[in-house]
Amino acid sequence: MSFLSIRGLHKSYGQTSIFSDIHCEISKGEFVTLLGPSGCGKSTLLRCIAGLTEVNGGQIFLDGQDLVPLSPQKRGIGMVFQSYALFPNMTVQQNVAFGLRMQKVSSADSKRRADEVLAMVELTDFADRYPHQLSGGQCQRVALARSLVTRPRLLLLDEPLSALDARIRKHLREQIRHIQQELGLTTIFVTHDQEEALTLSDRIFLMNAGRIVQSGDAETLYTAP
Ligand code: ADP
Ligand code: ADP
């Protein structure tokens, strides 16, 4: 069995089926991009994996463990959203350490681990600032640090670069890839931007209207036959 194995996943909102039979297999340490047009179900699939929305059928195994019965906190998954969703009244360091404090990690250890991941995203000097004092790119790096601090088994990135301008987008894209490789972290990156998908991933899953229609590396998918 693959590290992440999704089998026959089904999700509806009321009478509307978003997807009815998603299958995919992802290896440990792989960086996969889920590429497809707006509304095709990418976010919904990530939210199902993270446990932020209930599935209507099918199975999700992570490292051999069935995730479906587990609460989001028990899944060992980190997630970053397009909107950074930082706590405005907490400093950068408090934002990052928050998840650990929830897990009853001591204040000293939480602070040490927050500093570790803030160094990874090159924000050591910003630890005591508040979100409103940061640029969009810096806020997204805080959100990335916050998702890494709990040492997730799987990282889910939902259009994390879409709100940023082009120059920052490229820098952050490279930073994400670098950190992912350093940590050997299995990652699913959702985007509707073909260039992002082509430059980032080990493998691309093309999604359309609730189906994964094709998968392969950039060369295989985009080389004319
Ligand atoms: P994508 O991430 O590819 O843009 P989404 O997963 O956000 O697509 O959405 C897929 C479809 O599901 C869309 O038609 C969207 O309107 C619908 N949808 C998403 N969330 C909900 C919800 N909470 N209730 C009803 N419909 C939803
Ligand atoms: P994304 O940009 O991640 O694709 P959307 O803009 O599709 O997100 O959705 C934002 C929020 O609104 C999500 O929580 C989603 O579940 C909810 N949502 C999206 N479409 C619908 C819908 N048709 N009915 C109810 N809720 C929806």
Side-chain angles (χ1 to χ4, degrees), residues 120-122 141 144 170-180:
M120 279 187 213
V121 298
E122 299 172 338
R141 280 148 64 198
L144 179 62
K170 183 160 184 297
H171 177 73
L172 188 50
R173 185 168 86 196
E174 285 161 5
Q175 193 171 46
I176 287 172
R177 185 60 158 145
H178 177 74
I179 291 170
Q180 180 270 336

Side-chain angles (χ1 to χ4, degrees), residues 11-14 16 18-19 36-45 47 53 158-159 190 192 207:
K11 173 68 188 173
S12 311
Y13 286 114
T16 311
I18 308 301
F19 42 78
S38 186
C40 75
K42 306 183 297 297
S43 281
T44 303
L45 179 55
R47 295 166 68 84
T53 189
D158 192 356
E159 306 237 7
V190 158
H192 59 261
M207 194 164 175

Side-chain angles (χ1 to χ4, degrees), residues 139-156:
C139 284
Q140 197 54 300
R141 280 148 64 198
V142 176
L144 179 62
R146 187 179 53 182
S147 75
L148 295 173
V149 79
T150 54
R151 297 177 183 155
R153 303 184 281 176
L154 176 68
L155 180 62
L156 304 177

Side-chain angles (χ1 to χ4, degrees), residues 67-171:
L67 292 186
V68 172
L70 300 182
S71 69
Q73 293 74 23
K74 295 246 163 71
R75 294 187 183 203
I77 292 176
M79 189 156 173
V80 175
F81 303 90
Q82 183 178 329
S83 62
Y84 331 115
L86 302 177
F87 300 111
N89 300 321
M90 293 186 194
T91 65
V92 163
Q93 193 191 58
Q94 287 165 343
N95 263 283
V96 173
F98 182 76
L100 296 177
R101 302 291 292 144
M102 289 285 98
Q103 293 177 6
K104 308 266 193 288
V105 175
S106 74
S107 157
D109 282 347
S110 298
K111 189 170 171 307
R112 187 178 50 73
R113 281 171 60 179
D115 286 341
E116 253 171 46
V117 290
L118 283 172
M120 279 187 213
V121 298
E122 299 172 338
L123 282 179
T124 299
D125 295 341
F126 294 78
D128 296 326
R129 306 245 186 133
Y130 287 87
H132 75 269
Q133 300 173 304
L134 305 181
S135 70
Q138 288 167 338
C139 284
Q140 197 54 300
R141 280 148 64 198
V142 176
L144 179 62
R146 187 179 53 182
S147 75
L148 295 173
V149 79
T150 54
R151 297 177 183 155
R153 303 184 281 176
L154 176 68
L155 180 62
L156 304 177
L157 305 170
D158 192 356
E159 306 237 7
L161 309 180
S162 298
L164 307 173
D165 74 46
R167 196 175 48 81
I168 292 168
R169 220 158 45 217
K170 183 160 184 297
H171 177 73

